[in-house]
Amino acid sequence: MKIIEAHTGILSNLEVLDLLRKRGADQGFAGAVSTVTQSELKVYDYLIHTPAATQSRESLAKLSKEPLAARLLRPERLQVANLRPASAVEVHLIVEDIQNRFTDEEVEELVSRVNQVLPAPAPSSAAPEAQGAAAAALDIDPDDHDAQLMDWTTQPTL
């Protein structure tokens, strides 16, 4: 990959995912022998499990035209597109100085509009498998929830 002009803009996860698809990352090493690096494949594997996998350029354009979204700063709009916040708490983590810029009702309306405009991410079936693998690595029965709880009162303090 050749850098033509450095620092010209910030890409959303959707734009990176589209670029990787064009380069053949969705084919893996079999379909794109010399054009896709291993690190690009890892980024692609990560991004297909994020909200970007179900988004379109049209949905992002529609979101940016929403009156409440237009009041967000550019980096905040990018984070909203990348993270697709589903609750007011998530919006509070994204938007700087939110108490002075938005009312609670406006935050709830923003969450509602994001959920209407941006498609819901596909359900991930990898999470239970990863949890099982992590439990196996720690020699814990994944169905024994009591064994997974940590008793903080018995832990030594520093």
Side-chain angles (χ1 to χ4, degrees):
M1 188 178 289
K2 182 179 176 183
I3 298 174
I4 297 172
E5 193 173 329
H7 304 291
T8 58
I10 300 173
L11 298 176
S12 69
N13 287 352
L14 172 66
E15 293 167 318
V16 173
L17 189 59
D18 284 346
L19 175 69
L20 292 174
R21 283 182 178 141
K22 287 178 185 172
R23 292 180 46 81
D26 54 348
Q27 308 288 316
F29 281 123
V33 175
S34 63
T35 61
V36 181
T37 65
Q38 186 173 4
S39 61
E40 289 173 330
L41 282 175
K42 287 184 178 188
V43 171
Y44 175 80
D45 286 340
Y46 167 75
L47 289 176
I48 60 172
H49 298 292
T50 66
T54 58
Q55 295 174 352
S56 67
R57 291 182 185 269
E58 293 79 24
S59 63
L60 291 185
K62 186 175 180 183
L63 179 66
S64 68
K65 292 177 184 173
E66 290 289 328
L68 287 173
R71 289 176 42 197
L72 296 171
L73 300 175
R74 235 174 146 185
E76 294 167 344
R77 282 194 305 266
L78 179 68
Q79 287 292 76
V80 167
N82 286 344
L83 300 174
R84 192 188 179 270
S87 69
V89 172
E90 293 175 80
V91 173
H92 278 263
L93 295 172
I94 295 170
V95 180
E96 185 177 335
D97 196 27
I98 194 166
Q99 295 84 7
N100 294 328
R101 295 172 52 200
F102 293 92
T103 66
D104 290 341
E105 293 79 20
E106 289 174 327
V107 171
E108 290 297 333
E109 177 65 21
L110 179 61
V111 169
S112 173
R113 295 303 299 153
V114 166
N115 288 328
Q116 290 173 1
V117 173
L118 297 180
S124 175
S125 62
E129 293 168 5
Q131 182 182 14
L138 295 172
D139 196 28
I140 298 173
D141 179 11
D143 296 323
D144 185 6
H145 300 290
D146 292 333
Q148 296 178 30
L149 297 176
M150 193 175 232
D151 184 6
W152 293 100
T153 58
T154 61
Q155 296 297 318
T157 57
L158 298 176

